[in-house]
């Protein structure tokens, strides 16, 4: 990010890059690299080619200055195992979630406010003809709220990260399935907490069927709806070339 040239900020970015490169040029690491390169190329001229050939012939895998055959690479060309890729993607995605705690707080606060609003509208239903119709309406709002809220929460995720993902995928850093699973599981706690908060507020306020087992059944179904909606949002995000396209395709 520091070395990238952002649109409409070319001059500032190039000045930043120049400062970073100039600082590196006078650093001890740069001097060590220069001395190492000079040492390795010192034999060029008088038998330099023969010296290089002999050196390359006897170079071991411990030599850090020459590219060696990649031990442990499977037939697909990935150096890291499936579990290593999954762990690294999961850890990176989890860090990105932790770096934005305000977003989590806003999501939970928004859910609590909407749940309180729906609970207030349908407060204390009784099982008569009108009550059954009202409960049907409240259950419909259960589904629509969990659907739209979670679709639009993730609809821009992959569109925003697509350039980075394509670059790293072409570099054979990780598979598609490890990236998808790692990113999804890292955000799973939030997509379990949101249905829990929503159901815990609206269920007793509306006066739905009493009993822990009935509450847990409702919570389980609402959580499934929320996560299916999240996956659908990921699908739209992956299929869209830009965030604006995803936002246009999502509602229909």
């Amino acid at each position: 990010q520091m070395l990238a040239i952002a649109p409409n900020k070319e001059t500032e970015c190039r000045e930043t890059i120049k400062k970073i490169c100039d600082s590196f040029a006078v650093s001890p690491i740069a001097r060590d690299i220069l001395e190492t390169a000079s040492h390795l190329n010192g034999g060029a001229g008088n038998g330099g080619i023969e010296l290089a050939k002999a050196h390359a012939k006897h170079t071991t895998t411990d030599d850090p200055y020459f590219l060696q055959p990649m031990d442990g690479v499977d037939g697909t060309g990935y150096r890291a195992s499936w579990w290593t890729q999954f762990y690294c993607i999961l850890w990176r995605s989890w860090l990105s979630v932790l770096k934005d705690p305000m977003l989590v707080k806003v999501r939970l606060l928004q859910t609590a406010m909407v749940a309180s609003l729906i609970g207030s509208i349908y407060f204390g239903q009784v099982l008569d003809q009108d009550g059954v119709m009202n409960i049907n309406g409240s259950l419909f709002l259960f589904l629509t709220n969990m659907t739209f809220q979670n679709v639009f929460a993730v609809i821009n995720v992959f569109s925003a990260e697509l350039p980075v993902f394509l670059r790293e995928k072409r570099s054979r850093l990780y598979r598609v399935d490890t990236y998808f699973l790692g990113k999804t599981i890292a955000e799973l706690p939030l997509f379990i907490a949101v249905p829990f908060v929503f159901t815990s507020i609206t269920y007793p306020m509306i006066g739905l069927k009493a009993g822990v087992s009935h509450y847990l059944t409702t919570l389980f179904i609402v959580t499934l709806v929320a996560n299916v909606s999240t996956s659908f949002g990921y699908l739209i995000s992956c299929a869209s070339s830009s965030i604006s396209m995803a936002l246009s395709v999502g509602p229909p």
Side-chain angles (χ1 to χ4, degrees):
Q1 187 175 3
M2 290 297 298
L3 296 176
I5 297 179
N8 303 322
K9 296 181 180 179
E10 288 83 357
T11 304
E12 295 89 339
C13 292
R14 293 186 188 280
E15 291 177 356
T16 302
I17 293 172
K18 187 176 184 303
K19 291 178 182 178
I20 295 174
C21 293
D22 291 344
S23 300
F24 174 77
V26 297
S27 66
I29 298 177
R31 287 197 296 270
D32 293 341
I33 293 176
L34 184 60
E35 291 175 1
T36 302
S38 301
H39 172 71
L40 292 175
N41 294 325
N46 297 326
I49 297 177
E50 288 76 9
L51 180 63
K53 288 181 179 179
H55 186 81
K57 182 177 180 181
H58 295 93
T59 298
T60 64
T61 54
D62 296 329
D63 195 330
Y65 307 113
F66 288 87
L67 292 175
Q68 300 297 330
M70 295 171 63
D71 297 328
V73 177
D74 56 21
T76 58
Y78 297 102
R79 186 156 195 170
S81 65
W82 191 96
W83 285 108
T84 302
Q85 296 175 31
F86 173 73
Y87 172 78
C88 292
I89 293 294
L90 179 63
W91 178 244
R92 184 174 72 174
S93 301
W94 179 245
L95 287 180
S96 67
V97 172
L98 295 180
K99 285 180 180 178
D100 200 358
M102 183 57 65
L103 179 62
V104 177
K105 295 177 182 177
V106 169
R107 286 287 309 280
L108 294 176
L109 180 61
Q110 174 193 359
T111 301
M113 292 175 63
V114 173
S116 301
L117 178 63
I118 295 175
S120 300
I121 294 173
Y122 293 98
F123 185 79
Q125 296 299 316
V126 294
L127 287 178
D128 53 17
Q129 186 64 36
D130 291 337
V132 170
M133 295 293 290
N134 291 337
I135 288 174
N136 281 338
S138 67
L139 294 179
F140 174 77
L141 288 178
F142 264 64
L143 299 179
T144 54
N145 183 69
M146 283 296 100
T147 300
F148 282 94
Q149 179 180 352
N150 290 287
V151 166
F152 285 100
V154 301
I155 203 169
N156 65 333
V157 169
F158 286 114
S159 297
E161 295 188 4
L162 191 60
V164 176
F165 166 74
L166 291 177
R167 183 179 70 229
E168 295 178 342
K169 176 67 174 65
R170 288 165 183 160
S171 300
R172 314 294 287 176
L173 292 181
Y174 47 73
R175 298 170 173 81
V176 177
D177 54 347
T178 55
Y179 175 79
F180 180 81
L181 289 173
K183 191 157 189 63
T184 303
I185 294 175
E187 296 177 349
L188 189 61
L190 179 60
F191 294 118
I192 293 177
V194 167
F196 175 76
V197 171
F198 182 82
T199 307
S200 299
I201 294 175
T202 53
Y203 198 93
M205 289 184 69
I206 296 172
L208 299 177
K209 193 170 184 178
V212 175
S213 61
H214 301 298
Y215 164 76
L216 292 178
T217 302
T218 306
L219 177 61
F220 178 69
I221 294 174
V222 173
T223 303
L224 286 181
V225 171
N227 283 274
V228 169
S229 303
T230 301
S231 297
F232 183 70
Y234 285 149
L235 172 65
I236 296 174
S237 184
C238 291
S240 303
S241 57
S242 64
I243 296 177
S244 58
M245 178 66 72
L247 294 174
S248 300
V249 174

